Amino acid sequence: MSLNSTPRSERVHIALFGKRNAGKSSIINAITEQEISIVSEFKGTTTDPVYKSIEILPIGPCVIIDTAGLDDEGELGELRKKKTLEVLDKTDVALVVVDGLIGVTEYDIKIVKEIKEKNIPILGVLNKIDSNDSYTDMAQDMARKLSIQVVPASAVAKKGIKEIKNKIISLLPQEEDKFKIVGDLINPGDLVVLVTPIDKAAPKGRIILPQQQTIRDILESDAIAIVTKEYELKQTLESLGRKPKLVITDSQVFLKVSADTPKDIMLTSFSILFARYKGDLVEMVKGIKAIKNLKDGDKVLVSEGCTHHKQADDIGRVKIPRWLRQITGKELTFEYSSGMVFTDDVKQYSLIVHCGGCMLNRTAMCSRINDAKEYDVPIVNYGMLIAYVQGILERALEPFPMAKLEYEELE
């Protein structure tokens, strides 16, 4: 994908942390070779986290995140620090920038501990070495105190910037093929039929992001993507000269598509594919079991990774609550979150129902799943819940043997 067309959720997220005036914004400008972040001699210039989508050669499409200083002060400063720490949940690589005129502080030690606890690849940057003749000793001291790799650098003199880029590349996870959307399930030349109703929530003239990305993945796998609407599916299948390898549907028309797709053709949904691509499909299958155990008064969190205009028949706020009340027969309490906000108190919920996460990067989605696992709170996603409610989840899991086995054990 080109720079302009790559969604933010598919970009490497590189976040910079450190004290105020350590030079985080200057390092960002030096890495990107652009004046992206405001640089000032006054402390606290960066307030809320600043996100900038950009291409950094040879890394490719990235999101650079500039955060507020960890030593911010006052009530507002505490809120800024909280926002800074929330960035960790979506960070693929963390850079901890230390002022080369001051050295390691308690704030640096604290953030490095937080980063390591989340198993995020980390690189230390000792900035402002152009103003410190003894920076070599300070860099060694920084590496020893923080137990991380350290690159001495100068944003002003552009020293160490190339090495920072190379270190970032070496820290990136090398799992590119593992998390294909559908490419590992098909072979070159296979036919894949995608059932894509015209979504009312999608901007006019466009199909929604998961469908776009799935089509792209099919084409990159040298397979053939055939796109149709739910009412034309039967005719489409009959007109093909050979049987398709797979039918992928929007979850909201799952029942009709299942009825119109012969049993000898594998069927799944975009949402289930994204449960695997963005997170942990098997863990979400385990979450299905919790639906049977819901009791009167239990709290259910319905969470979306984006914000959109709510429709009269909104799936998250209308359909899912209705389906859960019908299938359980219980009086449940529903709460909602969207966008960057997940929840500060996971343990209060008996179930979390999450969207497919197409607007979140994999790190952010996995962080939410891990938060739920930490407190033994079951989590499922929209598509899996819909397939379960409609009695077709077992069929929809057929392309994924481990997940299907997990489901059969729950039954």
Side-chain angles (χ1 to χ4, degrees):
M1 290 187 180
S2 69
L3 168 63
N4 291 330
S5 64
T6 304
R8 177 181 286 183
S9 59
E10 297 299 299
R11 297 169 181 265
V12 175
H13 284 50
I14 304 167
L16 284 80
F17 304 91
K19 285 185 61 178
R20 290 177 295 168
N21 222 26
K24 299 185 296 296
S25 298
S26 297
I27 289 291
I28 284 178
N29 292 342
I31 290 174
T32 61
E33 299 179 4
Q34 295 184 34
E35 295 299 316
I36 289 175
S37 291
I38 298 173
V39 176
S40 170
E41 63 183 10
F42 298 103
K43 291 183 177 181
T45 303
T46 303
T47 54
D48 288 344
V50 176
Y51 296 76
K52 178 65 178 179
S53 296
I54 193 165
E55 187 155 2
I56 302 177
L57 297 175
I59 300 169
C62 301
V63 173
I64 297 287
I65 310 173
D66 193 3
T67 64
L70 297 167
D71 57 334
D72 214 336
E73 300 170 338
E75 186 176 345
L76 185 57
E78 288 301 317
L79 292 174
R80 289 170 177 167
K81 284 193 284 185
K82 181 181 177 183
K83 290 291 185 184
T84 291
L85 293 176
E86 287 175 356
V87 167
L88 288 173
D89 290 337
K90 57 179 72 69
T91 299
D92 294 310
V93 177
L95 304 188
V96 175
V97 181
V98 169
D99 189 330
L101 301 177
I102 298 173
V104 176
T105 68
E106 60 179 294
Y107 300 101
D108 305 310
I109 294 171
K110 180 180 178 181
I111 191 61
V112 167
K113 182 182 178 183
E114 296 260 8
I115 294 168
K116 287 182 177 180
E117 286 177 352
K118 290 182 175 289
N119 295 315
I120 300 169
I122 180 173
L123 176 67
V125 176
L126 182 69
N127 192 24
K128 305 181 184 179
I129 62 170
D130 53 305
S131 302
N132 186 345
D133 293 335
S134 60
Y135 71 82
T136 302
D137 292 339
M138 187 174 283
Q140 292 175 350
D141 182 65
M142 178 179 170
R144 178 180 58 80
K145 287 181 177 177
L146 302 179
S147 297
I148 60 174
Q149 297 182 68
V150 173
V151 175
S154 168
V156 174
K158 303 296 189 292
K159 293 181 179 178
I161 304 304
K162 183 177 180 181
E163 188 174 359
I164 291 173
K165 291 182 182 180
N166 290 335
K167 289 290 185 183
I168 292 172
I169 294 168
S170 69
L171 290 171
L172 290 174
Q174 303 298 313
E175 297 182 319
E176 200 172 329
D177 292 337
K178 181 178 178 181
F179 300 116
K180 285 185 176 180
I181 299 171
V182 69
D184 59 321
L185 303 176
I186 57 180
N187 298 310
D190 280 344
L191 300 178
V192 182
V193 176
L194 299 96
V195 184
T196 59
I198 302 302
D199 195 309
K200 294 178 183 178
K204 189 172 182 179
R206 284 182 268 170
I207 61 176
I208 61 177
L209 184 59
Q211 297 168 1
Q212 296 177 40
Q213 291 179 284
T214 303
I215 291 170
R216 176 64 183 257
D217 194 35
I218 292 168
L219 297 178
E220 288 186 344
S221 301
D222 297 324
I224 301 165
I226 301 165
V227 183
T228 187
K229 292 191 292 185
E230 67 271 31
Y231 294 106
E232 285 77 42
L233 173 61
K234 198 168 185 178
Q235 181 182 350
T236 300
L237 293 174
E238 290 172 352
S239 67
L240 296 176
R242 55 192 170 97
K243 185 172 70 176
K245 176 69 174 289
L246 179 65
V247 172
I248 305 169
T249 181
D250 184 285
S251 296
Q252 297 193 63
V253 292
F254 228 146
L255 201 57
K256 175 169 177 52
V257 171
S258 178
D260 290 346
T261 303
K263 299 298 183 185
D264 61 343
I265 299 175
M266 287 196 300
L267 169 68
T268 195
S269 73
F270 295 102
S271 191
I272 290 174
L273 287 172
F274 270 71
R276 182 183 72 138
Y277 179 59
K278 293 286 186 178
D280 188 334
L281 179 59
V282 172
E283 186 64 29
M284 290 195 171
V285 171
K286 293 178 183 177
I288 290 294
K289 183 178 181 180
I291 296 172
K292 295 179 179 179
N293 302 325
L294 290 173
K295 305 182 296 295
D296 287 331
D298 279 348
K299 279 187 177 183
V300 178
L301 175 66
V302 180
S303 184
E304 296 180 335
C306 65
T307 55
H308 64 266
H309 178 68
K310 303 299 183 290
Q311 306 290 323
D313 59 345
D314 191 75
I315 184 170
R317 294 176 182 262
V318 179
K319 291 182 177 179
I320 285 175
R322 183 175 69 235
W323 288 329
L324 281 174
R325 289 186 177 113
Q326 287 174 345
I327 199 169
T328 63
K330 305 299 181 182
E331 289 296 325
L332 306 171
T333 300
F334 289 88
E335 295 184 357
Y336 307 92
S337 68
S338 61
M340 298 296 180
V341 178
F342 181 43
T343 175
D344 290 330
D345 189 10
V346 171
K347 60 182 178 294
Q348 67 177 306
Y349 299 105
S350 299
L351 177 68
I352 296 172
V353 185
H354 206 288
C355 71
C358 64
M359 298 304 293
L360 301 174
N361 68 343
R362 177 174 169 79
T363 300
M365 190 67 222
C366 286
S367 175
R368 296 183 176 195
I369 294 171
N370 290 335
D371 284 349
K373 287 170 66 175
E374 182 179 351
Y375 293 101
D376 293 321
V377 176
I379 183 169
V380 300
N381 83 352
Y382 286 13
M384 297 179 69
L385 174 62
I386 293 170
Y388 173 72
V389 168
Q390 297 179 344
I392 52 178
L393 180 56
E394 185 172 2
R395 182 183 184 187
L397 292 174
E398 188 178 344
F400 317 102
M402 288 182 63
K404 185 180 180 185
L405 179 62
E406 183 70 35
Y407 180 72
E408 289 170 347
E409 290 177 357
L410 294 178
E411 289 292 286

